[in-house]
Amino acid sequence: MSVTVVDPRYPVGKFERPETITQEDRLNAIASLAELPEQLRNAVEGMDSKQLNTPYREGGWTVRQLVHHIADSHMNAFIRVRLALTENWPTIKPYDEKAWATLHDSAAPVEWSLELIESLHARWVMMLQSLSDEQWQRGYRHPENGPSTVEEATLMYAWHSRHHVAHITHLRAAGGW
Ligand code: NI
């Protein structure tokens, strides 16, 4: 019997880009993005301020920072996909996510980002549901990570949604909260 040790940084595993992306993969990814606002809200439901200020792992972000980080990351993602849909393989602007997570508003109530994510994901999902095959194959270039199609980015952010919700649910399970 082997014991599976879950790396606390990657509770749902690392993102793996599939060789080929099917229509079903796209629909599953859209479903993950559609479900995130409620799942995130459920994940932090009833947590007090002290719990929200607890790092999800030693040296990691707090739950509060995680929630605001998802908003930061997905606002960038939404804009990147909009750029990809309206320009010819634009080069996008990276940002320093660690530095963003320490700006003063990272101490704001999680509710602010929960509401932001709710509206943002409603628009994002509506946009993705309308895409033609040609649009799914459009893309952007990240100066360090290289090219990414709209469909690859969509799968990646679906993973990103599950990844951070799992950080919170694992912390709560470990703490018996
Ligand atoms: Ni992240």
Side-chain angles (χ1 to χ4, degrees), residues 54-79:
T54 305
Y56 78 92
R57 64 173 173 89
E58 213 179 295
W61 281 331
T62 65
V63 173
R64 188 186 304 280
Q65 283 175 307
L66 278 177
V67 173
H68 294 314
H69 158 71
I70 295 169
D72 287 347
S73 166
H74 292 195
M75 283 191 284
N76 274 282
F78 179 71
I79 287 171

Side-chain angles (χ1 to χ4, degrees), residues 61 66 69-70 73-74 95 97 159-160 163-164 167:
W61 281 331
L66 278 177
H69 158 71
I70 295 169
S73 166
H74 292 195
Y95 68 103
E97 62 177 24
W159 167 85
H160 188 251
H163 169 67
H164 285 308
H167 284 150

Side-chain angles (χ1 to χ4, degrees), residues 24 29 41 86 91 104 153 156 163:
E24 194 187 356
R41 190 173 281 283
T86 54
T91 297
H104 183 64
M156 208 266 282
H163 169 67

